[in-house]
Amino acid sequence: MTGKENDVILKLNRIVDKLLSGNRKIDLDVGEMDGVDDKDLISLASKVVHLGEQYRGCYDFILELSSGKLYTEAPRMNAFASPFKQLHSELRHLTWQIQEIAGGDYDQRVSFSGDFADAINKMIAALRERRELMELIRENENLFRSIFSTSPDGILLCDLNHCIVRASNAAFRMLQITGETGEKTLYSDLIHREDQENYIRFLDGLLIDGKTTVFAELRIVPANGMSFWSEQNASLLLDSNSKPKGYIIIIRDISERKAAEAQLLQYTDELDESNRTKDKLFSIIAHDLKSPFNALLGFSNILAQETCKENPDAERVRKFSKLIYESAAGSYSLLVNLLDWSRLQSDRIVIKPEHLNLSDLITDNMDISRTVAIRKNIALEYTTPDDHPIISDRAMINTILRNLIGNAIKYTPQNGHITVSLARANGGYLISVQDNGVGIAGENLEKLFKPGNIQSTPGTANEKGTGLGLALCKEFVNKIGGDIWVESTYGHGATFTFSLKNLSIPKTPSHKELNGIS
C-alpha cells in the first residue's frame, strides 16, 4: 500500500468519525484521489463523500422542519431523508388540519403521531362540544330575547337589592318607566305601601325558605298612573357558582279578573239579598194575607148570622161591613204591591210613556186616599194645582203617589196635616209628600228603600202594612229615570221627595215601514 493510499484511508476514517459525531463538514475532495490506483479504495472514497453529502442535506432538511418551515422541499435521492419525508408529509397535513379546525371544521380526525394525535382529537371534541353549547346558548338567548320582547306579561330582572337590571317591553309599559330610568329604579318602590310586607315575604320565600318559585298577588303603583292588581311569579337568578345574584319576576295584570271577582261577589251579595227578600216576601204573604182573610171569613160569617135575624142590629151590620171592607182593602193593597214587585223583579213591567198632567194624577190619588184620611180627621192639601205637563208612565207614578200618600196617612195621628207639593227642577219636577206624623228614627232612614230590610211598623191607628211600598216606590222611580229620598226628624214628621223627568215616546212605525216599503 502506498503512502498516498494510506493517507486516503486515514481521511476516510476521520470523515466517518465526524459523521458519527454529527459533524456535517467533510474535508475530502474526490480530486485528492489522483495517484491512487486501488479501485476499491477509490469506490469507497466516492461512497463516503456521497454519504456525507446526503447526511448534510438531510441534516439541513431536518433543521428546516424543526424551525417550522414545513413547505421546504425535501432532498431528492437521499436515503437519510426518506424517513423524514413521511414526517414532512404528515406535518404538512397536520398543519392543514389545524388550519381547518381553526376555521371551525370540528369534524377533522387527526391520525398523526399517537399520543399527540389523541391530545389534538380530544381538543377537537372539546371544541365541538363547546360549539354545540354555544349554539344552544345562542338559541336560548334568541328564545329569551323573543319572549322578553313579545311576552304580554312583564318580565323583570332585579338584583338582590331589588334594583331593576333589565325589563321587558311589557314591563316598561306596565310600570310606566323608560329605558333611561328603568335600570335605576327600585322595584320595591313601585309596590303599593299596603302590600310591602307581602312583597318582602314573597321574595323571602326564595332566599330564606329555599323555594324554587314563589307566587303572590300584589298591587303595583306605576311611576305615573293608577295602581293595579298584579299576579307575580318569581325565581332566583344564580351566578356561575350557583349562588343567588338576583330575581326574575314575571308580572301579569289581573285588574280585569279582580274586577270580575268583585262583580261576582257583588252579584252573590245581590243574590243573597234577593233570596232574603224573597224569604221575607213569603213571610209577608204567609202572615199578612192569613190575618185579613181570617178576619174576612170571621166577620162575613157574623154578618151573615146577623142579617139572618128577624130584626138585625143595623149598627152591628155597619160595624162588621166596615171591618170586612177594611180587611179587603188592605188585602187588595198588599196583593197589588206584591204583584207589582214580582213583575218588577222579573222585568215584566214595561215603561209606557205618554203625555200626562201631574196635577191630575196627584189630585186623583189624593181623592182615592181622602176617605181613609177623613176617618182620622187628617187634612190633605195640594199646594200647586196648576197644569204641569210631563211625558212619563201613568201606572208607575200612580203607584208611587198611592204608596207615599197612604204611608203619610198611616203614620200621621188624628187631626194631622199632609201637604203634597210640586216644583220644577232641572227640566223636570220634584214632588214632595210632607206629614206632621211620628217621623222616622235616624238609624232607620237608610233602610227604608231597601227590599232586604222589609219591615212594617203599625200606624198611629194601629194600621198594618206590608213594608214593601217604599222599596217598590224606589224601584219605580229609578225605572223612569228619577230618584227618591226622605228627610225626617223623629217625632216631627217626614217629607218624602221624588224627582221626575220627561221620557221620550217611542216612534210608531208607519204603514210603509211595517210592510217593508221604502
Side-chain angles (χ1 to χ4, degrees), residues 247-263:
Y247 310 98
I248 179 169
I249 303 174
I250 300 176
I251 308 167
R252 174 170 295 177
D253 188 338
I254 58 170
S255 300
E256 291 185 3
R257 193 187 82 192
K258 282 289 187 180
E261 290 175 355
Q263 186 69 53

Side-chain angles (χ1 to χ4, degrees), residues 321-336:
S321 296
K322 176 183 176 184
L323 291 173
I324 290 173
Y325 169 78
E326 290 176 350
S327 294
S331 299
Y332 177 75
S333 176
L334 172 60
L335 285 173
V336 169

Side-chain angles (χ1 to χ4, degrees), residues 211-465:
K211 297 179 180 178
T212 54
T213 58
V214 290
F215 165 86
E217 291 184 356
L218 303 168
R219 281 167 291 179
I220 293 177
V221 184
N224 298 296
M226 298 293 291
S227 64
F228 64 90
W229 275 101
S230 70
E231 177 182 282
Q232 303 196 21
N233 292 273
S235 300
L236 281 176
L237 290 174
L238 305 177
D239 61 16
S240 57
N241 297 318
S242 297
K243 292 184 178 179
K245 70 172 185 178
Y247 310 98
I248 179 169
I249 303 174
I250 300 176
I251 308 167
R252 174 170 295 177
D253 188 338
I254 58 170
S255 300
E256 291 185 3
R257 193 187 82 192
K258 282 289 187 180
E261 290 175 355
Q263 186 69 53
L264 180 61
L265 185 61
Q266 179 182 344
Y267 288 154
T268 303
D269 291 342
E270 290 176 356
L271 180 60
D272 290 342
E273 183 175 349
S274 176
N275 287 334
R276 287 193 299 270
T277 302
K278 178 188 67 177
D279 294 341
K280 199 74 172 281
L281 287 174
F282 287 153
S283 176
I284 292 172
I285 294 171
H287 180 270
D288 288 0
L289 281 181
K290 182 178 179 181
S291 295
F293 276 106
N294 284 336
L296 281 172
L297 293 173
F299 292 142
S300 60
N301 182 46
I302 295 173
L303 182 61
Q305 293 176 4
E306 187 68 30
T307 54
C308 288
K309 294 179 180 180
E310 292 184 4
N311 298 306
D313 187 338
E315 183 59 33
R316 283 173 59 81
V317 170
R318 283 193 295 273
K319 175 183 176 182
F320 289 120
S321 296
K322 176 183 176 184
L323 291 173
I324 290 173
Y325 169 78
E326 290 176 350
S327 294
S331 299
Y332 177 75
S333 176
L334 172 60
L335 285 173
V336 169
N337 279 346
L338 287 175
L339 178 60
D340 286 342
W341 178 258
S342 64
R343 290 169 64 202
L344 263 178
Q345 298 309 301
S346 57
D347 287 331
R348 287 187 289 126
I349 289 185
V350 179
I351 299 175
K352 298 178 180 178
E354 58 180 302
H355 291 279
L356 304 171
N357 185 344
L358 285 177
S359 288
D360 291 344
L361 296 182
I362 292 171
T363 54
D364 287 347
N365 280 279
M366 291 180 70
D367 289 342
I368 292 172
S369 302
R370 199 173 300 280
T371 302
V372 181
I374 290 173
R375 293 194 191 115
K376 297 176 73 173
N377 198 30
I378 294 173
L380 289 179
E381 179 185 8
Y382 176 42
T383 61
T384 47
D386 299 332
D387 289 344
H388 298 290
I390 193 170
I391 299 174
S392 192
D393 186 286
R394 179 188 302 272
M396 292 189 185
I397 295 177
N398 281 335
T399 299
I400 297 166
L401 289 170
R402 185 179 71 247
N403 275 282
L404 293 182
I405 295 172
N407 268 6
I409 294 172
K410 176 180 176 182
Y411 295 108
T412 299
Q414 292 284 337
N415 305 314
H417 187 271
I418 296 172
T419 302
V420 181
S421 59
L422 182 149
R424 290 185 176 273
N426 301 321
Y429 295 96
L430 296 179
I431 300 176
S432 297
V433 178
Q434 182 180 17
D435 65 66
N436 63 346
V438 296
I440 305 164
E443 63 271 14
N444 293 327
L445 285 175
E446 294 182 359
K447 303 177 183 179
L448 288 178
F449 301 107
K450 295 181 179 180
N453 293 292
I454 295 174
Q455 54 185 352
S456 177
T457 56
T460 55
N462 205 30
E463 302 101 320
K464 293 182 178 180

